[in-house]
Each structure stands twice: as C-alpha cells, then as structure tokens.
PDB file of all heavy atoms in Angstrom:
ATOM      1  N   PHE Y   7      31.928  35.295 113.509  1.00  0.00           N
ATOM      2  CA  PHE Y   7      32.293  36.068 112.229  1.00  0.00           C
ATOM      3  C   PHE Y   7      31.699  37.411 112.321  1.00  0.00           C
ATOM      4  O   PHE Y   7      32.401  38.482 112.079  1.00  0.00           O
ATOM      5  CB  PHE Y   7      31.770  35.330 111.037  1.00  0.00           C
ATOM      6  CG  PHE Y   7      32.862  34.307 110.518  1.00  0.00           C
ATOM      7  CD1 PHE Y   7      33.496  33.402 111.346  1.00  0.00           C
ATOM      8  CD2 PHE Y   7      33.131  34.272 109.160  1.00  0.00           C
ATOM      9  CE1 PHE Y   7      34.335  32.479 110.904  1.00  0.00           C
ATOM     10  CE2 PHE Y   7      34.104  33.392 108.683  1.00  0.00           C
ATOM     11  CZ  PHE Y   7      34.601  32.518 109.471  1.00  0.00           C
ATOM     12  N   ALA Y   8      30.369  37.504 112.655  1.00  0.00           N
ATOM     13  CA  ALA Y   8      29.760  38.784 112.637  1.00  0.00           C
ATOM     14  C   ALA Y   8      30.286  39.813 113.598  1.00  0.00           C
ATOM     15  O   ALA Y   8      30.528  41.020 113.353  1.00  0.00           O
ATOM     16  CB  ALA Y   8      28.243  38.631 112.871  1.00  0.00           C
ATOM     17  N   VAL Y   9      30.441  39.286 114.798  1.00  0.00           N
ATOM     18  CA  VAL Y   9      31.087  40.095 115.916  1.00  0.00           C
ATOM     19  C   VAL Y   9      32.417  40.567 115.662  1.00  0.00           C
ATOM     20  O   VAL Y   9      32.725  41.764 115.863  1.00  0.00           O
ATOM     21  CB  VAL Y   9      30.945  39.412 117.232  1.00  0.00           C
ATOM     22  CG1 VAL Y   9      31.734  40.159 118.428  1.00  0.00           C
ATOM     23  CG2 VAL Y   9      29.541  39.128 117.747  1.00  0.00           C
ATOM     24  N   ALA Y  10      33.190  39.678 115.115  1.00  0.00           N
ATOM     25  CA  ALA Y  10      34.665  40.172 114.836  1.00  0.00           C
ATOM     26  C   ALA Y  10      34.683  41.136 113.770  1.00  0.00           C
ATOM     27  O   ALA Y  10      35.572  42.011 113.878  1.00  0.00           O
ATOM     28  CB  ALA Y  10      35.458  38.823 114.457  1.00  0.00           C
ATOM     29  N   GLU Y  11      33.778  41.039 112.787  1.00  0.00           N
ATOM     30  CA  GLU Y  11      33.819  41.924 111.665  1.00  0.00           C
ATOM     31  C   GLU Y  11      33.405  43.353 112.065  1.00  0.00           C
ATOM     32  O   GLU Y  11      33.900  44.315 111.549  1.00  0.00           O
ATOM     33  CB  GLU Y  11      32.995  41.418 110.500  1.00  0.00           C
ATOM     34  CG  GLU Y  11      33.759  40.278 109.859  1.00  0.00           C
ATOM     35  CD  GLU Y  11      32.766  39.327 109.013  1.00  0.00           C
ATOM     36  OE1 GLU Y  11      31.655  39.718 108.813  1.00  0.00           O
ATOM     37  OE2 GLU Y  11      33.209  38.232 108.651  1.00  0.00           O
ATOM     38  N   VAL Y  12      32.503  43.375 113.049  1.00  0.00           N
ATOM     39  CA  VAL Y  12      32.045  44.622 113.662  1.00  0.00           C
ATOM     40  C   VAL Y  12      33.117  45.239 114.448  1.00  0.00           C
ATOM     41  O   VAL Y  12      33.529  46.471 114.402  1.00  0.00           O
ATOM     42  CB  VAL Y  12      30.734  44.502 114.374  1.00  0.00           C
ATOM     43  CG1 VAL Y  12      30.510  45.811 115.185  1.00  0.00           C
ATOM     44  CG2 VAL Y  12      29.592  44.264 113.406  1.00  0.00           C
ATOM     45  N   GLU Y  13      33.747  44.412 115.428  1.00  0.00           N
ATOM     46  CA  GLU Y  13      34.696  44.960 116.325  1.00  0.00           C
ATOM     47  C   GLU Y  13      36.002  45.191 115.625  1.00  0.00           C
ATOM     48  O   GLU Y  13      36.700  46.203 115.965  1.00  0.00           O
ATOM     49  CB  GLU Y  13      34.926  43.870 117.427  1.00  0.00           C
ATOM     50  CG  GLU Y  13      33.774  43.696 118.320  1.00  0.00           C
ATOM     51  CD  GLU Y  13      34.001  42.639 119.434  1.00  0.00           C
ATOM     52  OE1 GLU Y  13      35.096  41.929 119.388  1.00  0.00           O
ATOM     53  OE2 GLU Y  13      33.097  42.565 120.353  1.00  0.00           O
ATOM     54  N   ALA Y  14      36.433  44.385 114.706  1.00  0.00           N
ATOM     55  CA  ALA Y  14      37.749  44.582 114.137  1.00  0.00           C
ATOM     56  C   ALA Y  14      37.664  45.484 112.932  1.00  0.00           C
ATOM     57  O   ALA Y  14      38.644  46.087 112.552  1.00  0.00           O
ATOM     58  CB  ALA Y  14      38.389  43.306 113.819  1.00  0.00           C
ATOM     59  N   GLY Y  15      36.566  45.531 112.305  1.00  0.00           N
ATOM     60  CA  GLY Y  15      36.426  46.275 111.048  1.00  0.00           C
ATOM     61  C   GLY Y  15      36.979  47.694 110.943  1.00  0.00           C
ATOM     62  O   GLY Y  15      37.745  48.018 109.936  1.00  0.00           O
ATOM     63  N   PRO Y  16      36.717  48.563 111.909  1.00  0.00           N
ATOM     64  CA  PRO Y  16      37.211  49.951 111.928  1.00  0.00           C
ATOM     65  C   PRO Y  16      38.702  50.012 111.860  1.00  0.00           C
ATOM     66  O   PRO Y  16      39.283  50.952 111.372  1.00  0.00           O
ATOM     67  CB  PRO Y  16      36.543  50.651 113.134  1.00  0.00           C
ATOM     68  CG  PRO Y  16      35.379  49.797 113.478  1.00  0.00           C
ATOM     69  CD  PRO Y  16      35.766  48.368 113.094  1.00  0.00           C
ATOM     70  N   GLY Y  17      39.319  49.049 112.495  1.00  0.00           N
ATOM     71  CA  GLY Y  17      40.859  48.995 112.456  1.00  0.00           C
ATOM     72  C   GLY Y  17      41.526  48.366 111.340  1.00  0.00           C
ATOM     73  O   GLY Y  17      42.759  48.308 111.231  1.00  0.00           O
ATOM     74  N   LEU Y  18      40.726  47.728 110.527  1.00  0.00           N
ATOM     75  CA  LEU Y  18      41.244  47.046 109.291  1.00  0.00           C
ATOM     76  C   LEU Y  18      40.952  47.700 108.041  1.00  0.00           C
ATOM     77  O   LEU Y  18      39.771  47.797 107.548  1.00  0.00           O
ATOM     78  CB  LEU Y  18      40.722  45.585 109.301  1.00  0.00           C
ATOM     79  CG  LEU Y  18      41.177  44.595 110.294  1.00  0.00           C
ATOM     80  CD1 LEU Y  18      40.312  43.355 110.187  1.00  0.00           C
ATOM     81  CD2 LEU Y  18      42.623  44.358 110.199  1.00  0.00           C
ATOM     82  N   ARG Y  19      41.884  48.324 107.418  1.00  0.00           N
ATOM     83  CA  ARG Y  19      41.674  49.050 106.197  1.00  0.00           C
ATOM     84  C   ARG Y  19      42.521  48.334 104.979  1.00  0.00           C
ATOM     85  O   ARG Y  19      43.666  47.957 105.091  1.00  0.00           O
ATOM     86  CB  ARG Y  19      42.279  50.387 106.257  1.00  0.00           C
ATOM     87  CG  ARG Y  19      41.662  51.263 107.431  1.00  0.00           C
ATOM     88  CD  ARG Y  19      40.277  51.770 107.149  1.00  0.00           C
ATOM     89  NE  ARG Y  19      40.296  52.697 106.063  1.00  0.00           N
ATOM     90  CZ  ARG Y  19      39.194  53.363 105.634  1.00  0.00           C
ATOM     91  NH1 ARG Y  19      38.005  52.943 106.098  1.00  0.00           N
ATOM     92  NH2 ARG Y  19      39.219  54.169 104.678  1.00  0.00           N
ATOM     93  N   GLY Y  20      41.686  48.003 104.030  1.00  0.00           N
ATOM     94  CA  GLY Y  20      42.409  47.392 102.849  1.00  0.00           C
ATOM     95  C   GLY Y  20      43.406  48.320 102.260  1.00  0.00           C
ATOM     96  O   GLY Y  20      43.123  49.522 102.099  1.00  0.00           O
ATOM     97  N   ARG Y  21      44.621  47.841 101.989  1.00  0.00           N
ATOM     98  CA  ARG Y  21      45.597  48.753 101.277  1.00  0.00           C
ATOM     99  C   ARG Y  21      46.087  48.132  99.957  1.00  0.00           C
ATOM    100  O   ARG Y  21      46.206  46.885  99.983  1.00  0.00           O
ATOM    101  CB  ARG Y  21      46.726  49.027 102.157  1.00  0.00           C
ATOM    102  CG  ARG Y  21      47.621  47.897 102.492  1.00  0.00           C
ATOM    103  CD  ARG Y  21      48.707  48.321 103.512  1.00  0.00           C
ATOM    104  NE  ARG Y  21      49.718  47.308 103.664  1.00  0.00           N
ATOM    105  CZ  ARG Y  21      50.373  47.036 104.857  1.00  0.00           C
ATOM    106  NH1 ARG Y  21      50.024  47.818 105.883  1.00  0.00           N
ATOM    107  NH2 ARG Y  21      51.221  46.040 104.907  1.00  0.00           N
ATOM    108  N   ALA Y  22      46.262  48.851  99.025  1.00  0.00           N
ATOM    109  CA  ALA Y  22      46.679  48.408  97.705  1.00  0.00           C
ATOM    110  C   ALA Y  22      48.103  48.028  97.762  1.00  0.00           C
ATOM    111  O   ALA Y  22      48.928  48.611  98.510  1.00  0.00           O
ATOM    112  CB  ALA Y  22      46.435  49.499  96.647  1.00  0.00           C
ATOM    113  N   LEU Y  23      48.549  47.054  96.990  1.00  0.00           N
ATOM    114  CA  LEU Y  23      49.944  46.609  96.967  1.00  0.00           C
ATOM    115  C   LEU Y  23      50.696  47.624  96.314  1.00  0.00           C
ATOM    116  O   LEU Y  23      50.162  48.380  95.429  1.00  0.00           O
ATOM    117  CB  LEU Y  23      50.017  45.244  96.224  1.00  0.00           C
ATOM    118  CG  LEU Y  23      49.553  44.049  97.068  1.00  0.00           C
ATOM    119  CD1 LEU Y  23      49.157  42.894  96.087  1.00  0.00           C
ATOM    120  CD2 LEU Y  23      50.614  43.706  98.028  1.00  0.00           C
ATOM    121  N   PRO Y  24      51.972  47.922  96.519  1.00  0.00           N
ATOM    122  CA  PRO Y  24      52.714  49.002  96.077  1.00  0.00           C
ATOM    123  C   PRO Y  24      52.800  48.936  94.444  1.00  0.00           C
ATOM    124  O   PRO Y  24      52.874  47.880  93.915  1.00  0.00           O
ATOM    125  CB  PRO Y  24      54.250  48.597  96.623  1.00  0.00           C
ATOM    126  CG  PRO Y  24      53.958  47.923  97.950  1.00  0.00           C
ATOM    127  CD  PRO Y  24      52.640  47.115  97.639  1.00  0.00           C
ATOM    128  N   GLY Y  25      52.542  50.127  93.958  1.00  0.00           N
ATOM    129  CA  GLY Y  25      52.651  50.332  92.453  1.00  0.00           C
ATOM    130  C   GLY Y  25      51.402  49.870  91.635  1.00  0.00           C
ATOM    131  O   GLY Y  25      51.309  50.100  90.496  1.00  0.00           O
ATOM    132  N   THR Y  26      50.437  49.392  92.442  1.00  0.00           N
ATOM    133  CA  THR Y  26      49.247  48.725  91.753  1.00  0.00           C
ATOM    134  C   THR Y  26      48.446  49.942  91.110  1.00  0.00           C
ATOM    135  O   THR Y  26      47.973  49.787  89.901  1.00  0.00           O
ATOM    136  CB  THR Y  26      48.255  47.959  92.779  1.00  0.00           C
ATOM    137  OG1 THR Y  26      49.078  46.922  93.238  1.00  0.00           O
ATOM    138  CG2 THR Y  26      47.059  47.533  92.168  1.00  0.00           C
ATOM    139  N   VAL Y  27      48.136  50.970  91.797  1.00  0.00           N
ATOM    140  CA  VAL Y  27      47.311  52.032  91.330  1.00  0.00           C
ATOM    141  C   VAL Y  27      47.876  52.600  90.102  1.00  0.00           C
ATOM    142  O   VAL Y  27      47.240  52.895  89.065  1.00  0.00           O
ATOM    143  CB  VAL Y  27      47.071  53.182  92.398  1.00  0.00           C
ATOM    144  CG1 VAL Y  27      46.302  54.221  91.778  1.00  0.00           C
ATOM    145  CG2 VAL Y  27      46.207  52.561  93.497  1.00  0.00           C
ATOM    146  N   THR Y  28      49.173  52.911  90.056  1.00  0.00           N
ATOM    147  CA  THR Y  28      49.863  53.401  88.880  1.00  0.00           C
ATOM    148  C   THR Y  28      49.843  52.443  87.711  1.00  0.00           C
ATOM    149  O   THR Y  28      49.583  52.899  86.593  1.00  0.00           O
ATOM    150  CB  THR Y  28      51.413  53.690  89.254  1.00  0.00           C
ATOM    151  OG1 THR Y  28      51.381  54.762  90.320  1.00  0.00           O
ATOM    152  CG2 THR Y  28      52.186  54.268  88.056  1.00  0.00           C
ATOM    153  N   ALA Y  29      50.040  51.289  87.965  1.00  0.00           N
ATOM    154  CA  ALA Y  29      50.015  50.178  86.945  1.00  0.00           C
ATOM    155  C   ALA Y  29      48.569  50.145  86.295  1.00  0.00           C
ATOM    156  O   ALA Y  29      48.454  49.992  85.031  1.00  0.00           O
ATOM    157  CB  ALA Y  29      50.414  48.843  87.408  1.00  0.00           C
ATOM    158  N   LEU Y  30      47.579  50.212  87.099  1.00  0.00           N
ATOM    159  CA  LEU Y  30      46.257  50.089  86.592  1.00  0.00           C
ATOM    160  C   LEU Y  30      45.927  51.328  85.677  1.00  0.00           C
ATOM    161  O   LEU Y  30      45.319  51.108  84.648  1.00  0.00           O
ATOM    162  CB  LEU Y  30      45.196  49.976  87.685  1.00  0.00           C
ATOM    163  CG  LEU Y  30      45.260  48.730  88.530  1.00  0.00           C
ATOM    164  CD1 LEU Y  30      44.313  48.875  89.725  1.00  0.00           C
ATOM    165  CD2 LEU Y  30      44.942  47.503  87.701  1.00  0.00           C
ATOM    166  N   GLY Y  31      46.390  52.437  86.090  1.00  0.00           N
ATOM    167  CA  GLY Y  31      46.259  53.699  85.207  1.00  0.00           C
ATOM    168  C   GLY Y  31      46.983  53.491  83.891  1.00  0.00           C
ATOM    169  O   GLY Y  31      46.367  53.864  82.889  1.00  0.00           O
ATOM    170  N   ALA Y  32      48.193  52.926  83.910  1.00  0.00           N
ATOM    171  CA  ALA Y  32      48.860  52.760  82.707  1.00  0.00           C
ATOM    172  C   ALA Y  32      48.188  51.767  81.778  1.00  0.00           C
ATOM    173  O   ALA Y  32      48.088  51.946  80.555  1.00  0.00           O
ATOM    174  CB  ALA Y  32      50.275  52.267  82.964  1.00  0.00           C
ATOM    175  N   LEU Y  33      47.609  50.723  82.272  1.00  0.00           N
ATOM    176  CA  LEU Y  33      46.955  49.679  81.597  1.00  0.00           C
ATOM    177  C   LEU Y  33      45.642  50.310  80.962  1.00  0.00           C
ATOM    178  O   LEU Y  33      45.352  50.116  79.706  1.00  0.00           O
ATOM    179  CB  LEU Y  33      46.503  48.515  82.442  1.00  0.00           C
ATOM    180  CG  LEU Y  33      47.761  47.680  82.894  1.00  0.00           C
ATOM    181  CD1 LEU Y  33      47.337  46.754  84.102  1.00  0.00           C
ATOM    182  CD2 LEU Y  33      48.323  46.823  81.742  1.00  0.00           C
ATOM    183  N   ARG Y  34      44.991  51.072  81.716  1.00  0.00           N
ATOM    184  CA  ARG Y  34      43.765  51.739  81.161  1.00  0.00           C
ATOM    185  C   ARG Y  34      44.122  52.747  79.991  1.00  0.00           C
ATOM    186  O   ARG Y  34      43.442  52.801  79.000  1.00  0.00           O
ATOM    187  CB  ARG Y  34      43.002  52.576  82.240  1.00  0.00           C
ATOM    188  CG  ARG Y  34      42.232  51.688  83.230  1.00  0.00           C
ATOM    189  CD  ARG Y  34      41.408  52.536  84.100  1.00  0.00           C
ATOM    190  NE  ARG Y  34      40.324  53.004  83.379  1.00  0.00           N
ATOM    191  CZ  ARG Y  34      39.671  54.192  83.678  1.00  0.00           C
ATOM    192  NH1 ARG Y  34      40.077  55.007  84.674  1.00  0.00           N
ATOM    193  NH2 ARG Y  34      38.593  54.576  82.991  1.00  0.00           N
TER     194      ARG Y  34
END
C-alpha cells in the first residue's frame, strides 16, 4: 500500500464530478 501510494500518487489526481463545484456554490 505504502509503495503504491508513493509511486502512483503523482499520476493520480482527484477530479470533481461534472457540475459539482457550481452546485456547491449555489447551495452555499
């Protein structure tokens, strides 16, 4: 687990689902 997270981490970027950021802004 530790090695994979170090080796794969830089290539794995979490991305928001489409429309989520806009919806959260509207809710706030």
Side-chain angles (χ1 to χ4, degrees):
F7 271 49
V9 170
E11 287 157 13
V12 170
E13 292 180 350
L18 289 176
R19 304 285 293 181
R21 68 185 187 209
L23 288 159
T26 297
V27 174
T28 299
L30 294 176
L33 291 164
R34 287 190 72 209

